[in-house]
Amino acid sequence: QVQLVESGGGLVQAGGSLRLSCAASGRIFRVNAMGWYRQAPGKQRELVARIARDGSTNYADSVKGRFTISRDSAKNTVYLQMNSLKPEDTAVYYCSAQIIPYGFTENDYWGQGTQVTVSS
């Protein structure tokens, strides 16, 4: 059993900052990648940021320069530092991970989602 636990969402004014965290727990053999997706009402779920095992990162164009993804590999934890937040950043943010559990092949795992609301 692998579980992703998210925290850090909430309500913030435009221009403010939030820091999301996501910790993976369970019988984990290897974490190949972790990242964040978001979904706003009426919109498709989109990739926000991703960090691979080798440390390489990818960002959506809409957040590049404002958001930073980082990780603590020893804790199997990924962070998303969100600065200069805009109302259009309002969405449910989902942590995702590609993980190989002990005795199993790679699977995709998802957190429960955390609401980020940016007021104007």
Side-chain angles (χ1 to χ4, degrees):
Q1 295 284 328
V2 174
Q3 184 179 17
L4 303 183
V5 179
E6 303 170 346
S7 63
L11 175 65
V12 67
Q13 291 183 333
S17 298
L18 284 174
R19 181 177 170 89
L20 306 182
S21 64
C22 173
S25 62
R27 293 182 55 80
I28 297 170
F29 173 69
R30 190 172 73 182
V31 176
N32 287 333
M34 298 188 76
W36 295 91
Y37 289 74
R38 68 184 182 187
Q39 188 167 23
K43 291 187 176 182
Q44 197 82 12
R45 182 176 296 189
E46 65 173 345
L47 176 68
V48 178
R50 179 182 182 271
I51 184 165
R53 182 172 175 82
D54 64 0
S56 61
T57 58
N58 293 285
Y59 294 93
D61 289 341
S62 60
V63 307
K64 200 167 187 177
R66 299 187 297 121
F67 292 8
T68 303
I69 189 168
S70 61
R71 68 180 179 184
D72 185 337
S73 296
K75 298 180 179 179
N76 290 326
T77 299
V78 65
Y79 305 93
L80 185 67
Q81 179 66 45
M82 304 185 293
N83 297 326
S84 302
L85 282 161
K86 304 174 181 179
E88 48 264 47
D89 295 318
T90 296
V92 177
Y93 285 70
Y94 296 91
C95 179
S96 68
Q98 295 175 338
I99 293 173
I100 302 175
Y102 281 106
F104 295 91
T105 56
E106 182 183 290
N107 265 320
D108 295 331
Y109 296 90
W110 292 88
Q112 78 283 357
T114 184
Q115 177 70 46
V116 172
T117 302
V118 184
S119 62
S120 59

